[in-house]
Amino acid sequence: MIPRIALVPFAASLGLTFLYFLTLQAPQNLGLKFPSNLDDLRIIADNLNKFQVSNPGYVLLLFCSAYIFKQTFAVPGSVFLNVLAGALYGVWQGFFLCCLLTACGASLCYLLASLVGAQTAQHYFPDKINSYKLKLEENKDELLFFLLFLRLFPMSPNWALNMASGVLGVPLHLFFTSVFFGLMPYNYMCVTSGAILSELNDISEIMSWTNFGRCMLAAVISLVPSLLMKYRSKQKSS
């Protein structure tokens, strides 16, 4: 158990080392760090917007690396990077980028959990693993629909779903698809807020009733393909 669980801090150390050397390539006045409040976010967005005029590739690599690191190791605060994506790349480019990076980072978390192994996960998170295993068994005939539903209307934290999916052997292509499409409403809500970053007074404004309504509408729309698949499978079986 000890050698396998050691993969997590080892991989995290590699990721942090890569990010550290990446930040060394940038001017010191950029003030690069993971934003933890709206003021940090505004400063970093302003500095990176100016810097990416002459160094777009570097800023994109830095943003993608930081985002994937947060997703892979379940570091809190991804909402700030989603908002930053809107401020740096606009609504639609930022939205697609966040959906892709969320799915890639979650898949790396999935793979890391699968490498650590079921025994380790069962030792540290027995209740979550057993609960998720039971639900997977109950919904194995409509697995993609179930995975999408969990992302659109989460009952457990996303990091827990990522880990449990890797441990219990959820097919990776279904997992990736469910994360990419299932978190679209949340990503869209955050990215659109980033596009009007200068007008935000508090990070809690992202969860305004207007944005919440948009998020719910997008969630319902995202469920339509799965509902159609579920309907077609029932038609074939009847």
Side-chain angles (χ1 to χ4, degrees), residues 145-164:
F145 173 79
F146 175 67
L147 294 173
L148 274 172
F149 184 85
L150 286 180
R151 299 293 178 174
L152 293 168
F153 307 101
M155 295 172 284
S156 298
N158 280 310
W159 64 264
L161 293 178
N162 297 342
M163 288 178 52

mmCIF file of all heavy atoms in Angstrom, residues 145-164:
data_model
loop_
_atom_site.group_PDB
_atom_site.id
_atom_site.type_symbol
_atom_site.label_atom_id
_atom_site.label_comp_id
_atom_site.label_asym_id
_atom_site.label_seq_id
_atom_site.Cartn_x
_atom_site.Cartn_y
_atom_site.Cartn_z
ATOM 1 N N PHE A 145 -25.724 7.959 -19.174
ATOM 2 C CA PHE A 145 -26.797 8.815 -18.643
ATOM 3 C C PHE A 145 -26.578 9.057 -17.147
ATOM 4 O O PHE A 145 -26.691 10.188 -16.666
ATOM 5 C CB PHE A 145 -28.152 8.157 -18.885
ATOM 6 C CG PHE A 145 -29.296 8.876 -18.234
ATOM 7 C CD1 PHE A 145 -29.841 10.010 -18.800
ATOM 8 C CD2 PHE A 145 -29.808 8.418 -17.023
ATOM 9 C CE1 PHE A 145 -30.884 10.679 -18.182
ATOM 10 C CE2 PHE A 145 -30.855 9.082 -16.405
ATOM 11 C CZ PHE A 145 -31.397 10.210 -16.984
ATOM 12 N N PHE A 146 -26.243 8.018 -16.430
ATOM 13 C CA PHE A 146 -26.028 8.139 -14.984
ATOM 14 C C PHE A 146 -24.827 9.036 -14.672
ATOM 15 O O PHE A 146 -24.893 9.897 -13.787
ATOM 16 C CB PHE A 146 -25.823 6.748 -14.385
ATOM 17 C CG PHE A 146 -25.465 6.763 -12.928
ATOM 18 C CD1 PHE A 146 -26.370 7.192 -11.967
ATOM 19 C CD2 PHE A 146 -24.201 6.350 -12.514
ATOM 20 C CE1 PHE A 146 -26.031 7.211 -10.621
ATOM 21 C CE2 PHE A 146 -23.862 6.362 -11.167
ATOM 22 C CZ PHE A 146 -24.777 6.797 -10.221
ATOM 23 N N LEU A 147 -23.726 8.847 -15.414
ATOM 24 C CA LEU A 147 -22.525 9.662 -15.187
ATOM 25 C C LEU A 147 -22.780 11.130 -15.495
ATOM 26 O O LEU A 147 -22.320 12.026 -14.770
ATOM 27 C CB LEU A 147 -21.369 9.136 -16.043
ATOM 28 C CG LEU A 147 -20.843 7.739 -15.685
ATOM 29 C CD1 LEU A 147 -19.818 7.286 -16.713
ATOM 30 C CD2 LEU A 147 -20.239 7.730 -14.290
ATOM 31 N N LEU A 148 -23.515 11.393 -16.563
ATOM 32 C CA LEU A 148 -23.871 12.778 -16.894
ATOM 33 C C LEU A 148 -24.741 13.393 -15.809
ATOM 34 O O LEU A 148 -24.550 14.557 -15.421
ATOM 35 C CB LEU A 148 -24.610 12.825 -18.237
ATOM 36 C CG LEU A 148 -23.764 12.902 -19.500
ATOM 37 C CD1 LEU A 148 -24.659 12.751 -20.725
ATOM 38 C CD2 LEU A 148 -22.995 14.210 -19.565
ATOM 39 N N PHE A 149 -25.693 12.620 -15.325
ATOM 40 C CA PHE A 149 -26.589 13.109 -14.286
ATOM 41 C C PHE A 149 -25.797 13.494 -13.033
ATOM 42 O O PHE A 149 -26.070 14.512 -12.399
ATOM 43 C CB PHE A 149 -27.633 12.048 -13.951
ATOM 44 C CG PHE A 149 -28.666 12.513 -12.954
ATOM 45 C CD1 PHE A 149 -29.776 13.219 -13.377
ATOM 46 C CD2 PHE A 149 -28.515 12.245 -11.599
ATOM 47 C CE1 PHE A 149 -30.726 13.655 -12.469
ATOM 48 C CE2 PHE A 149 -29.455 12.678 -10.684
ATOM 49 C CZ PHE A 149 -30.567 13.386 -11.114
ATOM 50 N N LEU A 150 -24.807 12.689 -12.664
ATOM 51 C CA LEU A 150 -24.005 12.970 -11.479
ATOM 52 C C LEU A 150 -23.223 14.264 -11.622
ATOM 53 O O LEU A 150 -22.988 14.973 -10.638
ATOM 54 C CB LEU A 150 -23.029 11.813 -11.213
ATOM 55 C CG LEU A 150 -23.617 10.519 -10.656
ATOM 56 C CD1 LEU A 150 -22.507 9.497 -10.452
ATOM 57 C CD2 LEU A 150 -24.348 10.767 -9.343
ATOM 58 N N ARG A 151 -22.794 14.576 -12.846
ATOM 59 C CA ARG A 151 -22.040 15.822 -13.069
ATOM 60 C C ARG A 151 -22.961 17.034 -13.113
ATOM 61 O O ARG A 151 -22.625 18.104 -12.593
ATOM 62 C CB ARG A 151 -21.248 15.729 -14.375
ATOM 63 C CG ARG A 151 -20.221 14.620 -14.398
ATOM 64 C CD ARG A 151 -19.095 14.848 -13.416
ATOM 65 N NE ARG A 151 -18.150 13.738 -13.415
ATOM 66 C CZ ARG A 151 -17.007 13.737 -12.741
ATOM 67 N NH1 ARG A 151 -16.667 14.777 -12.000
ATOM 68 N NH2 ARG A 151 -16.210 12.682 -12.779
ATOM 69 N N LEU A 152 -24.114 16.860 -13.732
ATOM 70 C CA LEU A 152 -25.041 17.992 -13.875
ATOM 71 C C LEU A 152 -25.729 18.326 -12.564
ATOM 72 O O LEU A 152 -26.001 19.494 -12.267
ATOM 73 C CB LEU A 152 -26.084 17.666 -14.952
ATOM 74 C CG LEU A 152 -25.546 17.558 -16.379
ATOM 75 C CD1 LEU A 152 -26.593 16.941 -17.292
ATOM 76 C CD2 LEU A 152 -25.130 18.926 -16.911
ATOM 77 N N PHE A 153 -26.029 17.289 -11.776
ATOM 78 C CA PHE A 153 -26.708 17.488 -10.488
ATOM 79 C C PHE A 153 -25.920 16.733 -9.417
ATOM 80 O O PHE A 153 -26.352 15.675 -8.948
ATOM 81 C CB PHE A 153 -28.152 16.985 -10.565
ATOM 82 C CG PHE A 153 -28.919 17.578 -11.711
ATOM 83 C CD1 PHE A 153 -29.111 16.851 -12.886
ATOM 84 C CD2 PHE A 153 -29.439 18.855 -11.632
ATOM 85 C CE1 PHE A 153 -29.810 17.401 -13.953
ATOM 86 C CE2 PHE A 153 -30.141 19.406 -12.690
ATOM 87 C CZ PHE A 153 -30.332 18.685 -13.845
ATOM 88 N N PRO A 154 -24.741 17.255 -9.055
ATOM 89 C CA PRO A 154 -23.814 16.487 -8.204
ATOM 90 C C PRO A 154 -24.333 16.228 -6.804
ATOM 91 O O PRO A 154 -24.865 17.111 -6.140
ATOM 92 C CB PRO A 154 -22.565 17.386 -8.165
ATOM 93 C CG PRO A 154 -23.070 18.762 -8.456
ATOM 94 C CD PRO A 154 -24.223 18.586 -9.395
ATOM 95 N N MET A 155 -24.179 14.984 -6.361
ATOM 96 C CA MET A 155 -24.492 14.589 -4.990
ATOM 97 C C MET A 155 -23.214 14.356 -4.194
ATOM 98 O O MET A 155 -23.240 14.230 -2.981
ATOM 99 C CB MET A 155 -25.357 13.328 -4.995
ATOM 100 C CG MET A 155 -26.731 13.539 -5.610
ATOM 101 S SD MET A 155 -27.638 11.994 -5.822
ATOM 102 C CE MET A 155 -26.830 11.305 -7.262
ATOM 103 N N SER A 156 -22.077 14.264 -4.899
ATOM 104 C CA SER A 156 -20.767 14.111 -4.278
ATOM 105 C C SER A 156 -19.800 15.079 -4.952
ATOM 106 O O SER A 156 -20.027 15.491 -6.093
ATOM 107 C CB SER A 156 -20.243 12.673 -4.448
ATOM 108 O OG SER A 156 -21.093 11.753 -3.800
ATOM 109 N N PRO A 157 -18.714 15.457 -4.278
ATOM 110 C CA PRO A 157 -17.718 16.339 -4.908
ATOM 111 C C PRO A 157 -17.142 15.707 -6.167
ATOM 112 O O PRO A 157 -17.030 14.481 -6.266
ATOM 113 C CB PRO A 157 -16.644 16.481 -3.820
ATOM 114 C CG PRO A 157 -17.303 16.084 -2.545
ATOM 115 C CD PRO A 157 -18.354 15.081 -2.906
ATOM 116 N N ASN A 158 -16.770 16.550 -7.122
ATOM 117 C CA ASN A 158 -16.227 16.031 -8.378
ATOM 118 C C ASN A 158 -14.954 15.228 -8.164
ATOM 119 O O ASN A 158 -14.720 14.232 -8.855
ATOM 120 C CB ASN A 158 -15.964 17.188 -9.353
ATOM 121 C CG ASN A 158 -17.227 17.642 -10.056
ATOM 122 O OD1 ASN A 158 -17.971 16.838 -10.601
ATOM 123 N ND2 ASN A 158 -17.481 18.934 -10.051
ATOM 124 N N TRP A 159 -14.113 15.646 -7.214
ATOM 125 C CA TRP A 159 -12.873 14.903 -6.990
ATOM 126 C C TRP A 159 -13.179 13.482 -6.515
ATOM 127 O O TRP A 159 -12.466 12.538 -6.873
ATOM 128 C CB TRP A 159 -11.974 15.636 -5.994
ATOM 129 C CG TRP A 159 -12.529 15.773 -4.606
ATOM 130 C CD1 TRP A 159 -13.203 16.834 -4.084
ATOM 131 C CD2 TRP A 159 -12.456 14.791 -3.549
ATOM 132 N NE1 TRP A 159 -13.563 16.596 -2.779
ATOM 133 C CE2 TRP A 159 -13.114 15.350 -2.416
ATOM 134 C CE3 TRP A 159 -11.902 13.519 -3.437
ATOM 135 C CZ2 TRP A 159 -13.233 14.671 -1.204
ATOM 136 C CZ3 TRP A 159 -12.013 12.830 -2.225
ATOM 137 C CH2 TRP A 159 -12.663 13.403 -1.125
ATOM 138 N N ALA A 160 -14.235 13.336 -5.720
ATOM 139 C CA ALA A 160 -14.600 12.007 -5.234
ATOM 140 C C ALA A 160 -15.101 11.132 -6.383
ATOM 141 O O ALA A 160 -14.776 9.937 -6.464
ATOM 142 C CB ALA A 160 -15.666 12.114 -4.142
ATOM 143 N N LEU A 161 -15.876 11.713 -7.283
ATOM 144 C CA LEU A 161 -16.352 10.969 -8.453
ATOM 145 C C LEU A 161 -15.192 10.567 -9.349
ATOM 146 O O LEU A 161 -15.166 9.459 -9.903
ATOM 147 C CB LEU A 161 -17.352 11.822 -9.242
ATOM 148 C CG LEU A 161 -18.682 12.142 -8.564
ATOM 149 C CD1 LEU A 161 -19.524 13.041 -9.454
ATOM 150 C CD2 LEU A 161 -19.439 10.864 -8.238
ATOM 151 N N ASN A 162 -14.215 11.470 -9.519
ATOM 152 C CA ASN A 162 -13.047 11.168 -10.351
ATOM 153 C C ASN A 162 -12.280 9.977 -9.794
ATOM 154 O O ASN A 162 -11.920 9.046 -10.519
ATOM 155 C CB ASN A 162 -12.118 12.383 -10.429
ATOM 156 C CG ASN A 162 -12.780 13.583 -11.092
ATOM 157 O OD1 ASN A 162 -13.787 13.444 -11.781
ATOM 158 N ND2 ASN A 162 -12.218 14.749 -10.887
ATOM 159 N N MET A 163 -12.008 10.017 -8.495
ATOM 160 C CA MET A 163 -11.249 8.941 -7.866
ATOM 161 C C MET A 163 -12.006 7.620 -7.888
ATOM 162 O O MET A 163 -11.455 6.574 -8.258
ATOM 163 C CB MET A 163 -10.914 9.319 -6.421
ATOM 164 C CG MET A 163 -9.872 10.401 -6.270
ATOM 165 S SD MET A 163 -9.591 10.816 -4.538
ATOM 166 C CE MET A 163 -9.295 9.201 -3.839
ATOM 167 N N ALA A 164 -13.284 7.673 -7.511
ATOM 168 C CA ALA A 164 -14.076 6.449 -7.450
ATOM 169 C C ALA A 164 -14.226 5.812 -8.825
ATOM 170 O O ALA A 164 -14.203 4.588 -8.959
ATOM 171 C CB ALA A 164 -15.449 6.742 -6.858
#
